[in-house]
Each structure stands twice: as C-alpha cells, then as structure tokens.
Amino acid sequence: MEAHRSDARWWHGATLYQVYVRSWLDTDGDGYGDLAGVIAKLDYLAWLGVDGIWLSPTMPSPDDDWGYDVCDYLGVHPELGTLDDLDRLIAEAAQRGMRILLDLVPNHTSTAHPWFADAISGPDSAHRGFYVWADPAPGGGPPNNWLDATGHSAWAFDEASGQYYLHNFLASQADLNWWEPGVHEAFREILRFWFDRGVAGFRIDVAHGLYKDAELRDDPPSAAGATDRLHSRFGLEPVYSANRPQAHSVFRDWRTIAEGYSPPRLLLGETWVAGLDRMAAFHGQGDELQLTFNFPFIFADFTAPALRGIVADTLAALPAGECPVWAASNHDISRFPSRWGGGDERKARLALLVLATLPGTFVLYYGDEIAMTDVDVPPALRRDRMTSGGLGAAGGRDRARSPMQWDAGPSAGFTAAGAVPWLPYGDHAARNVAAQREDPASVLRLCHDLIALRRAEFGGRIAGYRELPGPPGLWTYRVDGLLVAANFTGGPAALDGPVGPVVASSGHGVLDRGILAPWAGVITRPGSGRVS
C-alpha cells in the first residue's frame, strides 16, 4: 500500500483521471456501470499511476442529463450504489495512494429536487427565491432572449404563478438563484458534508455560470464570425445569462472552507470561457479555484503553433504560483484521438506525450490511455437528451460516452455476457486494456510510462517550462531537466543541436540521427538542472 503524498498541494504535477461511472464497469448486469465497478478497477488505476479520480455525477437524479440534474446533493444514485459504497471507494482508493473527487452541480437542480417542488408550489413558498423567476415580457412571452443548450428559449412558463423560470440547459434543470443567501448556505453545508466524509474535492460544473444578470438583460449577438462553442451560444454571446463577476465571491468562500481541511480540499472548475485571462481570473489572487479547465487549449487545432501559443499564453495569464491544467477529452466533447487525430494512432501518441510533459496537472478521460475513439451512435440508441436532436452525425455527446473497452470479448469486459450496455460498444477488438497491457509497444504502456516519468520528474510541484526556437511545425521545449520535441507535421523534422540520451518517445524509431519522424515526439535529457 502507498500512502498519500504529504504535500498539501498534491495536485501539482499530478495525474487526474475522469471516470464516467455509467460507462466504466457494470457489476450487476443491468448494462450501467456502478461504484462497485470503480472499486473493482482501482488496482488498474493505481498501476496506471493515477493520483486522483474524478467521478462523473454520483448523486441521485432522474437522469434527464445523466446526473447533472441533481435531486439530492447529500446522497448516492441508487443505480450506482450507496453511501456505504462511496465511503468504501474513498477508503480503498486511499489505501492505493489515490484520492476521490466528486462532480458538484451548483448552477441548477433537477425540477424533481425538493427545493424546486416547494418553489413551484407558489410565489410565497420557502424556496421560491432559490430559483430564477421572472414575469413575461411586456408583450407576452419569455422575459428575454436567452437560449438554453438546445437552442430554444431558456425560459419555461409556470401556469400556476404566471411566471417563467430559467433553465440554461434542459427545462428539467432549473437554474439556481445565487443572489439568494439561502443558496449560499445550502452549498456550504453540502461541501462540508462531503469533505467530512473524506472526499478530496470537487470538479465544479458550469463554474462560470452561477450568477445571472440581476436586470435580466438580453444577451448580445455574437461577434461576426464567432460560431465556436466558447464564444457563441446559437448566435448569442452569453454575457448576461452567465459569466457574471459575482461568481468569484462564491469561490473565495468555498476556498476558505476547503483550506480549513487537512490536506486542503481541491476545487477544480469547469470554466467554459473563451479568454485565458477570464479563465485565470477564477484563480483570484490564489484564493479562489486551485485548478481551472483550459477550454481554449482543448478546442485548439492540433498544430504546433496553436497549442504552444496557448501554453505560453496560459502560463503568462495565470497568477504566480497557480497551477495550469492540461486535458484533451471529457464527457461533453469528442474524444481527442478522433477530434485531433482522426483515429491516427501516431497523433494520439504524440498528444499524450505532450500532455504528460506540460507543467501543472494532467487530466485523462477514461479510455484516453488506450486511444479510444468516438462511436457512431445510431439515433435509436442515443441517450443524451441535450444533443439527441442531431448535434453531430456521430451522436452528440453519446459518441464519447461508450463503455470502457476492457477486453476483446463480446461484452468488452464491461458487463455480463448477454447484458445490453446502455450505449453501444466501440471497436473493442482493435483497442482494449487487456491486449494493450500485454504489449510493450501499445498506447497504454506508453501512457503508463509517461505518467511514471511525470511523477518521477516533477510530481508534487509545478515544473519550469521554456519554449525553444524551431520551425513552425516542430514544438520543442524544456521542462525542468527534460527536453521535449514534438513533430506536428506529416514529414520528417530535423532537431537543432545535440539532444542528449532519449528518455521516452511516442513510438519506435521516431528519432534517427537527429531526424524526428512524422507525427512523432521524443523526450531527452540534454543536461541536468531545472528551468529557471
């Protein structure tokens, strides 16, 4: 057994791993993964070298949005397990030197939550102020032009009261009103409840969206040409429906609570914002979120200029001493081997080599380590209501949520023989854990070795980083005593000067007499010492 690192900032230089619980391992044959399945695979995650495990939502929910529509913040979804199961998971992970993070959804609740059931009972109800209500527009209809995540009005009409309630996502996900002091106190209690049980922290859903404009002003049209998901929501820029500055006060409050525990609890924000300065602002002066997801990096083109430019700008934007986060996949977007590489394994290997050697915190999505790709989910089998209307021919978000590919058997090692998985399998014969663990040249073994190198070289701290000059398609940088060279082109690239002994590479034969193969990366040790 391995003890936890004593460093209070254990996430510095660490590797976090997102487990989408329903797709991880089904132990009771119902076609859905469960907490018992997470426990059953802890030894695998410990072998991989993971420091922390972020679980997709585990709280009770009607599953309109698969746990992101919470109806009880202090429980466990009965289809996933019990509080005892979660306690056991926390304890058994700790025995293996790993910590457990939960997914917290503070922007909205399910309309099945008791708070909302009370709120909708009448304008004078105790929890009416917990949600965002508004009268119809002067001419009738929704109060303003805000749109939800499906592209329709973000307002639902309540016949009984004659008012609308706000839902930035599905109509069954009512937005909380963070102008209401009672909401703040309720979430303080929620944080303490889980921290007291040994939860190491939270990934905070929609961290940028808690507060809404008090005047409910219309969102302005997106800037000309802005169609990406960071700048635009169906042609509108979410200036007033989200991204209000008052959210920072919430995270300063939560940070005080988190720092009251030993070791401090971790707050990792889903900061879905376009500007790196806006992302960095969620760190405050080192007194808000400790970690923030970097979506400009995630959605960047897979080119050396694009990625290295965002890395440089990120490190410049973050306050001194704050820790960057590097990830390429999650449950809301296309998997990186498909999005960045079109299924080309060379590109997946190159991406993992770069991600694992950048300073800060490295986050893997389940299956990234075997280069799982998107699955084309037929319309009849799609489960995600948010994107079932056809956002992407491959099946919206479902395409990146298919069952973990444990082996090449008929059930992919995910569930019992003959059981029907909640989503269809990908190509588990071509990519699975069992085969790759036995193959020293596999993507899985590469990922394992990169994580081990990361832990040995700069685990427990934020490594120094310095970009080195080179041709546009070659990204070369020093990270402490290592030199990383990544060729983001389809042709060979010559390295400039002596490179030192090779420590690791993205594949066999990538470096020959100073020439780096196409879509290949190499890590060398040109000399001792850390980057100043």
Side-chain angles (χ1 to χ4, degrees):
M1 290 186 235
E2 181 185 342
H4 278 327
R5 295 178 187 174
S6 59
D7 186 355
R9 300 293 182 261
W10 60 268
W11 50 88
H12 288 186
T15 300
L16 304 182
Y17 189 101
Q18 182 187 358
V19 170
Y20 196 81
V21 179
R22 290 183 181 275
S23 295
W24 180 250
L25 182 66
D26 169 25
T27 62
D28 58 12
D30 66 355
Y32 295 89
D34 42 52
L35 291 176
V38 182
I39 294 170
K41 292 296 185 180
L42 285 175
D43 285 342
Y44 165 73
L45 293 172
W47 168 83
L48 186 59
V50 169
D51 299 291
I53 303 166
W54 153 31
L55 302 177
S56 64
T58 53
M59 298 168 188
S61 164
D63 291 331
D64 286 353
D65 191 18
W66 301 108
Y68 287 99
D69 50 324
V70 178
C71 63
D72 177 8
Y73 286 100
L74 305 181
V76 170
H77 197 305
E79 290 184 0
L80 302 181
T82 65
L83 265 175
D84 286 343
D85 292 328
L86 188 52
D87 289 342
R88 181 182 161 216
L89 171 57
I90 292 168
E92 294 211 14
Q95 291 174 4
R96 295 163 175 83
M98 296 181 291
R99 293 171 167 85
I100 299 296
L101 285 76
L102 300 186
D103 217 317
L104 183 65
V105 186
N107 180 72
H108 50 265
T109 74
S110 168
T111 52
H113 195 289
W115 295 343
F116 189 81
D118 178 62
I120 207 167
S121 68
D124 297 326
S125 60
H127 292 90
R128 185 76 171 189
F130 271 43
Y131 296 89
V132 181
W133 297 90
D135 294 328
N144 61 27
N145 72 345
W146 296 354
L147 300 177
D148 69 15
T150 71
H152 298 94
S153 172
W155 297 94
F157 188 63
D158 171 38
E159 295 277 356
S161 67
Q163 286 191 310
Y164 285 84
Y165 70 84
L166 178 67
H167 58 89
N168 265 301
F169 296 91
L170 297 174
S172 57
Q173 293 171 286
D175 277 48
L176 287 164
N177 174 24
W178 279 89
W179 295 99
E180 166 60 47
V183 173
H184 290 254
E185 186 53 41
F187 274 87
R188 291 185 191 109
E189 294 176 6
I190 291 164
L191 263 63
R192 293 187 182 103
F193 174 85
W194 290 111
F195 290 164
D196 288 346
R197 298 190 85 91
V199 168
F202 290 108
R203 176 267 187 184
I204 302 163
D205 190 56
V206 197
H208 59 288
L210 303 190
Y211 273 85
K212 282 73 184 177
D213 180 52
E215 300 176 33
L216 303 182
R217 287 171 284 185
D218 280 355
D219 279 335
S222 303
T227 59
D228 64 274
R229 295 167 67 184
L230 292 178
H231 290 87
S232 176
R233 175 173 277 201
F234 301 101
L236 297 177
E237 186 177 356
V239 171
Y240 297 115
S241 57
N243 299 303
R244 307 309 296 157
Q246 291 82 7
H248 296 286
S249 65
V250 176
F251 301 131
R252 284 193 294 271
D253 182 35
W254 290 8
R255 179 66 174 269
T256 299
I257 295 171
E259 294 286 347
Y261 288 80
S262 181
R265 302 316 196 227
L266 173 60
L267 304 174
L268 166 58
E270 184 200 21
T271 44
W272 191 282
V273 294
L276 292 170
D277 55 339
R278 290 165 63 191
M279 180 200 76
F282 283 96
H283 291 255
Q285 301 301 313
D287 59 352
E288 295 185 32
L289 304 177
Q290 294 104 325
L291 298 177
T292 52
F293 274 116
N294 189 330
F295 286 95
F297 180 86
I298 289 171
F299 288 126
D301 293 334
F302 193 63
T303 67
L307 293 173
R308 71 185 173 208
I310 292 174
V311 169
D313 291 346
T314 298
L315 298 177
L318 286 174
E322 292 299 290
C323 186
V325 177
W326 311 108
S329 302
N330 67 39
H331 61 288
D332 282 330
I333 60 177
S334 172
R335 288 183 173 275
F336 85 82
S338 294
R339 190 180 72 257
W340 274 352
D344 186 336
E345 187 175 296
R346 298 175 302 170
K347 295 180 182 179
R349 288 171 172 269
L350 180 62
L352 287 169
L353 183 139
V354 168
L355 286 161
T357 53
L358 291 174
T361 302
F362 172 32
V363 182
L364 282 164
Y365 183 50
Y366 83 99
D368 279 356
E369 73 274 26
I370 58 172
M372 276 178 64
T373 53
D374 291 343
V375 175
D376 189 353
V377 181
L381 298 180
R382 294 177 189 174
R383 308 299 298 274
D384 177 34
R385 289 181 56 195
M386 198 88 70
T387 57
S388 62
L391 294 184
R397 298 186 301 179
D398 286 332
R399 59 185 169 175
R401 299 178 178 183
S402 58
M404 181 63 171
Q405 296 167 190
W406 293 107
D407 61 39
S411 299
F414 167 72
T415 189
V420 178
W422 81 295
L423 283 171
Y425 301 119
D427 189 356
H428 54 288
R431 293 183 178 90
N432 65 76
V433 170
Q436 291 198 22
R437 193 161 176 179
E438 296 299 317
D439 179 4
S442 68
V443 178
L444 175 59
R445 293 284 289 273
L446 169 66
C447 192
H448 167 274
D449 293 348
L450 288 170
I451 292 171
L453 178 66
R454 177 183 185 82
R455 176 176 284 191
E457 293 292 326
F458 41 85
R461 58 188 178 80
I462 304 171
Y465 170 92
R466 185 174 75 245
E467 183 182 327
L468 302 176
L474 181 65
W475 183 7
T476 308
Y477 55 91
R478 289 285 300 268
V479 55
D480 282 359
L482 302 177
L483 184 146
V484 180
N487 180 9
F488 282 77
T489 74
L495 302 186
D496 184 20
V499 296
V502 173
V503 175
S505 71
S506 63
H508 293 300
V510 298
L511 188 64
D512 181 22
R513 297 180 182 178
I515 303 298
L516 197 57
W519 302 110
V522 65
I523 305 169
T524 69
R525 197 182 301 279
S528 60
R530 297 176 181 174
V531 177
S532 59

